[in-house]
Amino acid sequence: MQINSNSSNLEALRSAIANVKSGEICIASGWIRSHTLKEVLGGAEKAIRSGKVSLRLILRAGDPVDLKITDSYVFSYLEDLKADALKRGGSVTLRYSAKHHAKLYVAGEKAAMIGSYNLTGGGFGTEDRPGSNPEAGVFFDDPQGIADVQARFDELWESSLPVNESLAGFVANAASNREFFVYATRPLAAGTFVQYDEGDDVILCKVEESLRYHADYPLIAEGALPEPELFQTLTFSDVKTNALQGIAFSGDARDHQLHIARVKGINRISKQGERYVFGPVNLPPRVGAGVNLADKALLEGFFNPAAKLYAALEENADIAVSLDTRSLLSKHMAVLGSTGSGKSYFVKQFLARHLVPVIKEEQLRIVVIDTHGEYGGAQSDAKDLAFTDIISEEEHLEQASAQLISDYEDVKAIIGAGSREEKNAITRAFSEFQKQAEGTNEDMLKILRSERERLAGKTETEVSWESILRNFLDNEADLEKHAVVKKYKERMDAAATVTDRASQDYLHSQAKRMAVEAIQKEYNYKAPDKFPILDALINRLAQGSARVSNLKLIEAIQKPGLYRLNLTAIDEADVRQAIVGDLMREVFIRAKQGVKQGKSGSFNTLFVVDEAQNYAPQGGAAGLPSKAAMKLIASEGRKFNVALLVMTQRPAYLSKDVLSQCNTQAIFRLINNQDIKAIEELVEGISKYDVMQLPTFVPGQAIFTGVGVEMPVRVRINS
């Protein structure tokens, strides 16, 4: 036994460990620097990797300064040693304790050390380069001394906690129930799922932001740091000291990097039998508690209930992500992303692998609105999808060019709101028309004209201008006041001299007409248009610019199946919009009737609308048939099992009334600020960190969020 210090301990320990050819090396140190650990183990590294010598280490992890000094490369270096040792039957094991303070070193059965020195550059050194801290300890080479040190190490080992492959880091000061920082044992990428235990429950969390910090690098201005208070706990208060340390360690900067993760708590999870029960995260984790990578089985239960392999978690690529089918069929979904971001490829995969297989089970009609031939034809990459086309190149075009008007609400949206009498007349006309099985425009015109005649007979008589004229004639004061009346009297007197009765009657009537018109003009009177809305509706139907009969496209989708509304041969946007609106309205009405008749689910339909902003644009476009139908389905369709899956590269241009009703979203790369802002305003649950990264997404990278997935996740679409 001999006393040593930090000017002799490094060489003594290094030599003792190098002489271990079999057995075990044990190290217990509050703090460990990776470069000092490598130096101490250098002579025995080959024996450890070969499995001939085992290695056990204990360190402390209970305070921010612990992982400020014990750099993350300690963990990666040991993982590397462990990987090789395991292949050959050896072992490398690391444990930690929040209160560990002892410094013990056992080199097999030949030597041991105990002292005040941590395994750092400050604790260990040689005569040529002593450690920076005054230290003292004892070196043992006698069997009893070595056995005593080994026994104490074993006691500490039993009271410590394992650092296994899943350990991601330790909770830092200070934690809250919403988010906290983790001092990580490895780089933790944003989006990585982690967890910690709270009693029998698991708290599932997600890394929101990944940071790196160098404890010895010169301190920059606090105002430039994202979290000044956090970094202040990791640094010396003296700026000059930081600057000097930064210079001193600049040659060995890599090994002193600290990995930090900002972590958000998501759910408290309890396992009851085979199902998970979720609850809020109401309490923060214990400071210094271990945080592990999320359990694979837990994530699979969360995100892959149906094992549909069209997407995987971005940071956990071995975990498949499957959107919930029933949520999508009873609600609505939006797929958003700029050109080339991968949204079209995803939808095709989603249809082929997820929705088409349940068509029979769900008695489902999937209708894809194909504007540009993305889903059919020689150039399409959707060859795995066997569509039935609904419309041919010329069919329905002439009829579709006329605007469909199905009820008074359409009249109000397209022409305008009429008087109460007009509204009642038009409503009665549509009610009468709908009783006819195959009614035409001509049939509706007859009904409307009949209603107009009935109204005209009931309209109150207008002001009698002839009576006013007679009153003026009978009052000499008015006669002198109104020159036009005086002129009329003169004309009437002149007519009286005409002997021919027919000519006299004609002159009388003309004089009266001219006098009445002059009085009306004098009083700024304009004759009212008695039935402007009713007359406009009659004119539109008569001219063929409006129609009251559907295109009957619904007849093509009577059976469950996969359909394509082929609009590729139609160049006119208004005709495409009319056709889409017509079919959607027919389906909605049919499904609604089925529910009212007690046949719930008799016409389950999902509309997949490519280039949705062209059919339901934001702002303007009053009376646009497709927009009206999409808004109707978005707001009421879920009650009748009619759903939307809308796709757009410009979310800002898609009607907010439609987009806001989409409860599940797949969001691919977006670059335009307006589109990103629209996402922030309308999509619940997406974090600001995910929004910030949308412009940097590569093709196939996306965020799934909403009711179709347990929580917002970043995914990669499988090719």
Side-chain angles (χ1 to χ4, degrees):
M1 180 180 73
Q2 66 182 56
I3 303 295
N4 62 9
S5 70
N6 55 334
S7 63
S8 58
N9 56 3
L10 179 60
E11 187 56 43
L13 182 59
R14 185 165 53 192
S15 297
I17 286 177
N19 288 327
V20 178
K21 305 302 180 183
S22 62
E24 186 177 54
I25 298 170
C26 299
I27 296 174
S29 176
W31 300 331
I32 301 175
R33 286 285 198 182
S34 56
H35 65 276
T36 307
L37 177 63
K38 291 176 184 177
E39 198 168 3
V40 165
L41 295 180
E45 185 174 315
K46 184 175 181 180
I48 295 170
R49 291 184 184 276
S50 68
K52 295 177 181 178
V53 174
S54 298
L55 175 64
R56 285 193 290 163
L57 294 95
I58 307 173
L59 56 79
R60 184 171 70 211
D63 193 84
V65 74
D66 294 337
L67 287 177
K68 169 189 171 183
I69 297 174
T70 300
D71 60 276
S72 62
Y73 288 92
V74 169
F75 301 96
S76 57
Y77 173 60
L78 292 174
E79 283 296 319
D80 182 52
L81 286 180
K82 181 179 180 179
D84 284 346
L86 284 174
K87 294 175 184 177
R88 297 165 178 83
S91 68
V92 174
T93 314
L94 176 64
R95 287 193 165 210
Y96 75 96
S97 168
K99 297 181 179 180
H100 171 66
H101 193 68
K103 291 87 176 176
L104 307 173
Y105 307 91
V106 182
E109 299 177 352
K110 301 294 184 181
M113 288 178 67
I114 185 170
S116 64
Y117 25 70
N118 287 299
L119 195 60
T120 65
F124 277 80
T126 64
E127 290 184 3
D128 295 334
R129 189 177 178 180
S132 58
N133 303 323
E135 307 280 2
V138 180
F139 183 87
F140 298 91
D141 56 6
D142 62 292
Q144 186 59 49
I146 296 169
D148 290 344
V149 176
Q150 181 69 60
R152 181 56 182 151
F153 177 89
D154 290 339
E155 290 176 8
L156 295 171
W157 184 263
E158 290 302 318
S159 63
S160 61
L161 298 171
V163 175
N164 50 40
E165 293 180 1
S166 68
L167 183 71
F170 306 91
V171 178
N173 280 327
S176 84
N177 64 307
R178 292 187 301 274
E179 68 175 23
F180 55 91
F181 285 95
V182 167
Y183 298 110
T185 61
R186 67 190 81 190
L188 285 179
T192 302
F193 284 94
V194 295
Q195 67 183 61
Y196 64 89
D197 295 333
E198 190 173 288
D200 294 331
D201 296 339
V202 170
I203 309 300
L204 185 65
C205 312
K206 187 173 77 167
V207 175
E208 293 286 304
E209 189 175 19
S210 182
L211 305 162
R212 277 183 178 154
Y213 175 71
H214 194 295
D216 301 314
Y217 205 73
L219 180 67
I220 61 176
E222 285 187 5
L225 292 169
E227 293 289 336
E229 292 182 5
L230 169 69
F231 285 85
Q232 199 171 40
T233 67
L234 302 172
T235 58
F236 297 100
S237 59
D238 183 8
V239 175
K240 290 183 179 179
T241 302
N242 279 284
L244 290 172
Q245 286 219 343
I247 294 171
F249 285 94
S250 61
D252 193 24
R254 186 179 70 88
D255 285 348
H256 298 277
Q257 306 237 352
L258 176 62
H259 298 287
I260 304 171
R262 185 198 300 268
V263 176
K264 179 181 179 181
I266 298 172
N267 280 114
R268 169 192 288 273
I269 304 171
S270 303
K271 192 78 179 292
Q272 295 185 2
E274 293 300 315
R275 70 187 187 94
Y276 295 110
V277 178
F278 306 110
V281 182
N282 293 326
L283 291 173
R286 179 179 56 81
V287 174
V291 176
N292 296 295
L293 296 176
D295 180 65
K296 181 179 179 181
L298 179 67
L299 292 179
E300 286 179 339
F302 248 59
F303 301 117
N304 188 25
K308 303 296 183 183
L309 303 178
Y310 52 79
L313 291 179
E314 175 68 35
E315 303 302 337
N316 304 77
D318 57 338
I319 305 296
V321 181
S322 175
L323 295 170
D324 181 56
T325 305
R326 294 201 176 274
S327 293
L328 297 177
L329 297 181
S330 61
K331 295 182 174 64
H332 311 296
M333 179 177 178
V335 181
L336 315 170
S338 58
T339 301
S341 61
K343 66 179 184 302
S344 294
Y345 177 80
F346 160 69
V347 169
K348 292 163 189 172
Q349 294 292 311
F350 184 55
L351 289 174
R353 303 187 185 189
H354 196 71
L355 294 180
V356 170
V358 301
I359 283 177
K360 185 175 181 180
E361 175 188 348
E362 299 292 336
Q363 290 295 289
L364 176 65
R365 295 151 191 79
I366 301 174
V367 182
V368 176
I369 311 301
D370 191 4
T371 307
H372 302 301
E374 289 277 338
Y375 295 85
Q379 303 302 316
S380 172
D381 59 354
K383 296 181 176 60
D384 293 338
L385 296 168
F387 289 101
T388 299
D389 273 9
I390 298 176
I391 191 170
S392 62
E393 292 186 5
E394 300 298 330
E395 191 178 1
H396 302 297
L397 297 191
E398 184 177 348
Q399 189 181 356
S401 62
Q403 201 159 20
L404 176 65
I405 300 178
S406 299
D407 51 29
Y408 178 73
E409 291 301 316
D410 285 348
V411 174
K412 188 165 66 172
I414 297 169
I415 301 174
S419 64
R420 181 169 55 84
E421 291 81 3
E422 286 182 292
K423 176 183 177 181
N424 292 338
I426 293 171
T427 302
R428 282 194 301 270
F430 274 109
S431 178
E432 184 66 26
F433 175 75
Q434 287 164 4
K435 295 177 182 178
Q436 303 182 21
E438 296 291 336
T440 65
N441 272 19
E442 289 301 321
D443 296 324
M444 185 61 169
L445 279 170
K446 290 178 183 178
I447 299 171
L448 286 171
R449 285 169 178 155
S450 175
E451 285 290 337
R452 192 189 189 289
E453 289 175 7
R454 193 174 66 82
L455 274 189
K458 295 177 65 176
T459 304
E460 295 180 4
T461 305
E462 293 186 29
V463 175
S464 175
W465 291 98
E466 292 186 18
S467 297
I468 294 173
L469 179 59
R470 285 195 300 270
N471 290 337
F472 285 162
L473 287 171
D474 294 340
N475 190 320
E476 289 198 16
D478 287 333
L479 187 63
E480 293 298 326
K481 182 179 178 182
H482 297 280
V484 67
V485 179
K486 189 175 182 180
K487 185 75 171 175
Y488 167 69
K489 187 175 185 306
E490 292 173 353
R491 287 177 175 168
M492 292 292 284
D493 290 342
T497 63
V498 178
T499 58
D500 179 55
R501 184 57 183 258
S503 298
Q504 190 181 75
D505 290 343
Y506 174 76
L507 290 173
H508 280 174
S509 64
Q510 286 297 96
K512 186 185 293 184
R513 181 184 61 79
M514 293 171 67
V516 168
E517 289 178 355
I519 294 172
Q520 290 175 339
K521 186 175 181 182
E522 186 176 337
Y523 284 90
N524 297 317
Y525 172 78
K526 184 178 180 181
D529 193 358
K530 294 179 182 177
F531 313 114
I533 304 302
L534 182 54
D535 287 341
L537 175 59
I538 290 172
N539 289 337
R540 291 196 182 202
L541 291 174
Q543 294 166 5
S545 61
R547 57 187 168 89
V548 289
S549 299
N550 290 317
L551 299 176
K552 309 302 181 194
L553 292 172
I554 195 172
E555 301 303 326
I557 60 170
Q558 291 299 304
K559 295 180 180 179
L562 179 63
Y563 300 93
R564 180 175 76 119
L565 184 60
N566 182 7
L567 303 175
T568 55
I570 303 174
D571 297 325
E572 300 83 357
D574 59 335
V575 176
R576 292 198 298 263
Q577 292 159 350
I579 292 172
V580 169
D582 197 298
L583 177 59
M584 287 185 173
R585 181 189 289 269
E586 283 189 274
V587 168
F588 177 82
I589 292 172
R590 179 72 63 84
K592 184 176 181 179
Q593 289 172 342
V595 170
K596 287 186 174 181
Q597 294 168 3
K599 302 174 183 177
S600 181
S602 62
F603 217 82
N604 295 349
T605 307
L606 171 67
F607 285 104
V608 180
V609 189
D610 199 4
E611 304 284 358
Q613 76 280 358
N614 293 331
Y615 297 99
Q618 171 61 18
L624 194 67
S626 53
K627 182 176 181 179
M630 286 177 67
K631 285 174 63 177
L632 180 65
I633 292 174
S635 61
E636 298 184 44
R638 68 192 71 187
K639 293 182 290 188
F640 311 114
N641 294 315
V642 181
L644 292 171
L645 191 164
V646 298
M647 304 166 58
T648 181
Q649 56 188 302
R650 297 304 313 273
Y653 291 177
L654 176 61
S655 168
K656 288 182 172 58
D657 292 327
V658 173
L659 187 56
S660 64
Q661 294 296 322
C662 293
N663 307 105
T664 300
Q665 300 87 20
I667 308 168
F668 291 76
R669 183 183 66 236
L670 287 170
I671 300 172
N672 186 279
N673 287 333
Q674 284 182 292
D675 297 325
I676 294 173
K677 185 177 180 181
I679 294 298
E680 290 181 288
E681 291 176 350
L682 293 171
V683 177
E684 295 181 7
I686 188 170
S687 74
K688 64 180 180 180
Y689 305 108
D690 286 334
V691 171
M692 289 169 58
Q693 294 182 60
L694 285 176
T696 68
F697 277 14
V698 299
Q701 192 175 15
I703 297 168
F704 284 177
T705 183
V707 299
V709 66
E710 290 291 350
M711 67 189 72
V713 285
R714 291 200 307 171
V715 302
R716 189 73 66 121
I717 306 305
N718 296 331
S719 57

